[in-house]
Amino acid sequence: MRAVVCERLSEDFSGTAIRDVALPEPGPGDVLVQVRAAGIGFPDLLMCRGGYQLKPPLPFTPGMDVSGTVAAVGPGVTAFGPGDAVAGAARFGSFAGFVSVPGGQLRPKPPNLSDTAAAACQVACLTAYVALVRRAALQPGETLLVHGASGGAGMAAIGLGRALGARIVATTGSPAKAAALEAAGADHVLEVGEGFREPVKELTDGRGADVIFDPVGGGLFDESVRCIAFGGRLLVIGFAAGRIAEIATNMPLIKGFSVVGVRAGEYGRRFPDRGRENLDAVWKLAAEGKVTVPVHAELPLEDFRAGFAMLERREAVGKVVLTVS
């Protein structure tokens, strides 16, 4: 089969290329999926550079989100059989013709979603769900500030926040994305280039945001500390800006807020029962159309570099998806 293979870690992805590789075999509890579509996320780029917390041994195939058809099942799998349409996520390996995924990480593909739409869902929506429901306990009427709002996780956070009854303030570095964020459910869109501390304060009558969803880090984290409400929850999702922010501990003490780390996949591995509940909830919301991640572009597997570049240039509104014929 054809696959994207990272043979050498490199900043410019020169160590990653399309190769012919052997088909994987499903082990106990695993499902072999014939890939139809696979979503690209920032962790995939970081993994190929060696900058992600998960560092697979070289060579490896990147790719988490996947949608496709069951080709075979390993020993002990009874929930799926050959021919079933499924969607879910692997830890890596989905940028290929076939990928072996633990059965517990897959769900039946909702019939209302195309393969490309389904391949945009799990990682982004699961991140939003664990962040807002499990870690922040977002309440109706609270103000949710979403950074990186036009990315996959940001779009999912807007939709889920809306479903939970929150008021949504989204930030963007591009005025051209404002209409898409409003269409996704944001009540207010702020341009981060102009600063957002004072506008957030004004929108909340001086209180600040109750929950801040931050997959960007860097300067956005720094300014978020200055516009979070007393008792607020500042959710650390990632560091797309490239700089890991630091905080003086007197700030959360004085302002009475919490800095909360979010690792959605690890949360499910640590708490398996809750992890299964999380996935069931995410795919139920997706099937009902309450949480969706728009597909910015569909590219053939061979054009993975173009997809990586779209994420690096912050062009994507939603997810970029690779398709496999």
Side-chain angles (χ1 to χ4, degrees), residues 39-56:
I40 303 176
F42 266 105
D44 303 314
L45 279 64
L46 292 173
M47 223 178 276
C48 293
R49 288 172 165 157
Y52 193 59
Q53 54 261 31
L54 174 62
K55 295 178 171 57

Side-chain angles (χ1 to χ4, degrees), residues 13 15 29 36 61 118 144 173 201 225 233 237 256 258 269 272 284:
F13 310 115
R36 301 299 183 195
T61 291
L144 168 65
K201 287 280 194 177
V225 170
R233 291 84 81 200
I237 312 297
S258 303
R269 287 185 286 275
K284 183 174 185 292

Side-chain angles (χ1 to χ4, degrees), residues 27-317:
D30 292 342
V31 174
L32 182 65
V33 178
Q34 183 174 4
V35 179
R36 301 299 183 195
I40 303 176
F42 266 105
D44 303 314
L45 279 64
L46 292 173
M47 223 178 276
C48 293
R49 288 172 165 157
Y52 193 59
Q53 54 261 31
L54 174 62
K55 295 178 171 57
L58 296 170
F60 70 90
T61 291
M64 296 181 177
D65 278 309
V66 64
S67 178
T69 305
V70 174
V73 298
V77 175
T78 58
F80 302 106
D84 289 348
V86 294
R91 299 193 77 185
F92 56 92
S94 69
F95 296 170
F98 293 81
V99 61
S100 183
V101 184
Q105 288 296 111
L106 296 171
R107 294 294 184 274
K109 183 181 75 66
N112 62 310
L113 297 182
S114 65
D115 279 311
T116 50
C121 274
Q122 183 157 301
V123 171
C125 295
L126 183 64
T127 298
Y129 188 88
V130 172
L132 301 183
V133 175
R134 294 294 192 179
R135 303 292 281 145
L138 181 67
Q139 298 299 305
E142 288 191 313
T143 297
L144 168 65
L145 176 61
V146 180
H147 295 314
S150 61
M155 281 289 195
I158 290 173
L160 180 58
R162 170 67 65 188
L164 294 171
R167 180 168 65 154
I168 316 297
V169 180
T171 68
T172 178
S174 170
K177 296 178 180 178
L181 297 177
E182 290 170 353
D187 297 288
H188 306 278
V189 179
L190 305 176
E191 295 178 38
V192 294
E194 299 177 356
F196 56 87
R197 174 188 178 184
E198 292 307 319
V200 169
K201 287 280 194 177
E202 291 172 9
L203 289 169
T204 57
D205 298 323
R207 287 187 66 254
D210 299 291
V211 176
I212 301 179
F213 183 93
D214 182 16
V216 181
L220 268 68
F221 180 94
D222 299 338
E223 193 164 355
S224 294
V225 170
R226 297 174 174 84
C227 65
I228 191 167
F230 193 92
R233 291 84 81 200
L234 205 172
L235 301 167
V236 179
I237 312 297
F239 317 104
R243 176 172 70 84
I244 297 176
E246 297 180 354
I247 185 170
T249 54
N250 66 312
M251 295 299 287
L253 184 153
I254 293 168
K255 299 193 70 174
F257 69 89
S258 303
V259 178
V260 184
V262 178
R263 287 185 64 193
E266 186 63 19
Y267 185 94
R269 287 185 286 275
R270 298 273 180 161
F271 308 108
D273 289 343
R274 280 180 247 171
R276 287 187 288 272
E277 292 171 1
N278 294 344
L279 287 179
D280 289 342
V282 160
W283 285 105
K284 183 174 185 292
L285 289 164
E288 294 171 348
K290 293 180 179 177
V291 178
T292 58
V293 179
V295 175
H296 178 80
E298 299 178 25
L299 301 171
L301 187 68
E302 289 73 17
D303 288 346
F304 74 94
R305 291 182 189 280
F308 282 17
M310 288 180 182
L311 267 66
E312 287 199 300
R313 293 194 298 261
R314 308 294 196 271
E315 291 178 3
V317 177

